[in-house]
Amino acid sequence: MEILVAFLLIQLPHMACKDQILNCMVKDPHPPLHDYQQPGDFFIGGIVSQSIIVTNLIPFTEVPPQTLHEELLYFTAKGTYQATMLLIFTPWKHLPNYKCDIQDNLIAVIGGLDPLTSLHMATVLDIYKIPQVIYSPAPVMNDKTPGLSFYQMAPQEAIQYAGILSLLLHFKWLWIGILTSNDEYGDRFVQTVFPLFSQSGICFAFIERSHKQTIVTEINNMFTQGAKIHDKIIESKANTVVAYAESLAVVFLRWLSYLSEQQHVTNKEKGIVWILTAQMELTSITYQRTWSIDIIHGALSFSIHSKDPSGFQHYVENRKPLNAKGDGFILDFWQHAFGCIFANRVTERLDGDFCTGEEKLESLPGPFFETKMIGHSYSIYNAVYAVAYALQTMFSSRLPYRAMGAEGGQKLRNLQFWQSHHFLRRVSFNNSAGDQVSFDQNGELVAGFDIFNWIFSSNQSFHRVKVGQVDPQGLLGNVFSINESAITWHSWFNQAKPHSVCSESCRPGFSKKVKEGDPFCCYDCIPCPEGKISVQHDMNDCSKCSDVSYPSKNQDSCVPRLASFLSFKEPLGVALALFALFSSLITALVLAAFLKHHSTPIVKANNRGLTYTLLVSLLLCFLCSLLFIGQPQKVTCLLRQTAFGIIFSVAVSCVLAKTTTVVLAFMATRPGSSMRNWVGKSLANSIVLSCSFIQAGICFVWLVTSPPFPDVDIHSVREELILECNEGSLTFFYCVLGYMGFLAIISFSVAFLARKLPDSFNEAKFITFSMLVFCSVWLSFIPSYLSSKGKYMVAVEIFSILASSAGLLACIFAPKFYIIVLRPELNNREQIIRRKA
């Protein structure tokens, strides 16, 4: 069995009909100039767009002139319909619905290059249920027969859209332009990618549609519109433009460098990163062969994944007009490509060189001709093999016809078009290049896209460098990949990665403020407010740090807070602890001296019991200050304020009792005084116990109702976590301090009244001064405490405790200790009486 392929090339110049046959023949409305066919059992038809058609506007005021060869510019629906019907019916004879004495078992049709051509083909092919294998994006065809989907040799458009989005996000190109064709397919592209890109933070500087003209007289309009598009691209801050159009749109792009409506724009240099979709291929018209290609240098082009089949490049390079039998198109191509003319085609005076037919295709400029297989060619190659494999599978499944005799062959030739659909849907094979070819449930090729970097040199050489790919079946979900180091950027960027943003990126420490009336990609950068940070670029808002951290100086990160408390390891804590221990030692020495000399007159005269109680209280006060140093714990928080309050109240109560006792003793010496009954140890003990009991009661209620507890202060000091004891109730805290102050004021008042009593038995002067020191210390404590933060608040309280305790110790006991230790000769009754005299 022999399977042959028939290709008709549409929209080419008119040729005269070779003959007229049969009475049913109608006038041929310009048949295609080139076709390729050989006799065989079955045909795979193809419609390939190869030429350019320009036509004049027909005003219908006179008889339209015959179409001229040089007027050919764009693909027309008329030519597509005609070529499609020629494939189905009688080639070269315009006889719709007839196969005048020619049998061609058409299995499937391949084409076309753009969606609109595919749509025009499908309009005819769908009537006869003929499979159509396309290599363009699927056209919109709402009324297509159910079950007869296109067999698309291009991957899903959604994969390409996702790849473009990934590419833009990878390079952070968030301010882009869109250039599309002015048709429903350009509209479909914009409608699809606009929400998709916007959701990912990409904005559009402009969306332009290139107008497709099919009439010579309207070309000026096309150039005018092109000039406007060029000026908008140049003036825009967007350095990246996504182009979605048909293959020939590259011809339009090369025009842009020469178009401008504004004089000042023509001299403005700007590099552009063109992102070209897979439908667009490098195409040049003959007169563009010497044009500058700088505008598309460095472009990133999506392309249907392709490989060179074995021997393909060798085949192309050895393709010559003289050995291409039946290929009339190659003669036209050869003449245009090499700027020569074949001798047998000379019709008038020669203006140029003769073609030898031995010119080297590889010597042509890269933008004009490529010897490697590109995406479109690879799709056609795979399409032919897909149909062939489907046909082979279909024949293999029909066992009665395997004999291939005359009768069996006739039955095979009588197979219907629609019978191959079932097998095409399930085709799967590995081509000669090693790629697997198969369709998904929607009839779309299961494949991805390659990303190429277009590189042009000054000598017109052209290189496609593969820099990435979009593989929907990538391992570990790696659908998109890009090799940034392999990309050659436009020279305007000095080989630095281009930027394409409406506003410069906001650094960490700043947030975006959208400009009113502008897209969200256009914004101002404002510093984060006090207490907030932004850790990434282009943050929409600033955020607060957690409680255990604080904003850095530049407000671009959160710095962990250090735990802060008055420690025994830091200098301040060590100094206070040493002072407390030293004062405790001095107090202990004084107590020991008083105990040792307890029978001496000076000790007896100062009420030994109260003296010992006062000294022990002062000793405990000094030691109590150590509870305030170190990391706050539950026990220390419960004890330090209450213990200090009770102990210090005992000390002040002892001072008050001593003063009261002295005053009452002198009052009792007056004749007839009733105060004698009050003088004695019982009064002093009552004063100490009652005053101390009241403070103990206040502390008890405090501990029961709202006890102190370990806490963390996150507000007082920005850089620190202050570990502290929360007093639970500030009311009780100030009640404790207030009560001590109350006792001190009473003691001061009583001592002040008794300051003029005889010195031998009178401590009132010393007590007055000690209470003055005590009150001064604690009055200054309140503002100092309230104005301090963190561990310094604790240090202020410790200092107040130590200072007031030391004041009492020094003022009351220093003179007596001096006499007891250093001047013992003064510590006798005679000396005391002598001093009185």
Side-chain angles (χ1 to χ4, degrees), residues 817-834:
F817 184 79
Y818 172 76
I819 293 174
I820 292 173
V821 176
L822 299 179
R823 299 295 298 275
E825 68 275 9
L826 300 178
N827 190 11
N828 56 69
R829 186 176 180 81
E830 292 76 13
Q831 289 293 332
I832 294 174
I833 294 174
R834 188 179 299 116

Side-chain angles (χ1 to χ4, degrees), residues 68-120:
L68 300 179
H69 178 81
E70 60 270 14
E71 292 178 342
L72 304 175
L73 179 61
Y74 279 106
F75 312 140
T76 61
K78 179 184 71 173
T80 305
Y81 292 140
Q82 179 192 1
T84 305
M85 288 189 290
L86 287 175
L87 276 179
I88 300 174
F89 305 116
T90 303
W92 291 113
K93 301 174 182 66
H94 187 60
L95 302 173
N97 297 318
Y98 290 92
K99 293 188 177 183
C100 301
D101 73 13
I102 294 181
Q103 300 297 324
D104 58 347
N105 292 297
L106 186 66
I107 300 300
V109 177
I110 299 173
L113 177 61
D114 61 274
L116 199 56
T117 301
S118 299
L119 177 62
H120 295 154

